[in-house]
Amino acid sequence: MRYQIDIYGVLVPALLLWIIVAYALSALLRRLMQRFDLYRLVWHRALFDFAIFICILGVVVYLSEYLA
């Protein structure tokens, strides 16, 4: 597993890139849930969004081992 990624001579922590990818995926999921009105089934929207983000981040970190 690599902890730093070299982007044109700048060392960027890999976790930062994983967080950006997870945020983009969770934003897409939030839009889909809002479009299909699935938030009416959720008790606390902000807590649910945060939990979904953490789950997606865990999946991205787990899969990054196989992609890199």
Side-chain angles (χ1 to χ4, degrees):
M1 180 167 63
R2 297 175 60 188
Y3 295 106
Q4 293 179 346
I5 298 173
D6 184 16
I7 300 177
Y8 298 111
V10 177
L11 293 176
V12 178
L15 183 60
L16 177 64
L17 296 177
W18 298 332
I19 287 173
I20 292 171
V21 169
Y23 181 75
L25 291 174
S26 66
L28 178 65
L29 184 62
R30 278 194 313 263
R31 285 185 186 232
L32 287 173
M33 289 187 66
Q34 191 172 15
R35 179 179 206 97
F36 294 112
D37 198 27
L38 295 176
Y39 275 119
R40 62 184 166 83
L41 303 172
V42 175
W43 173 66
H44 196 284
R45 182 177 175 171
L47 184 61
F48 182 79
D49 287 342
F50 181 68
I52 291 294
F53 172 74
I54 294 299
C55 291
I56 291 174
L57 179 61
V59 169
V60 169
V61 169
Y62 179 75
L63 292 178
S64 70
E65 186 174 320
Y66 299 108
L67 297 176

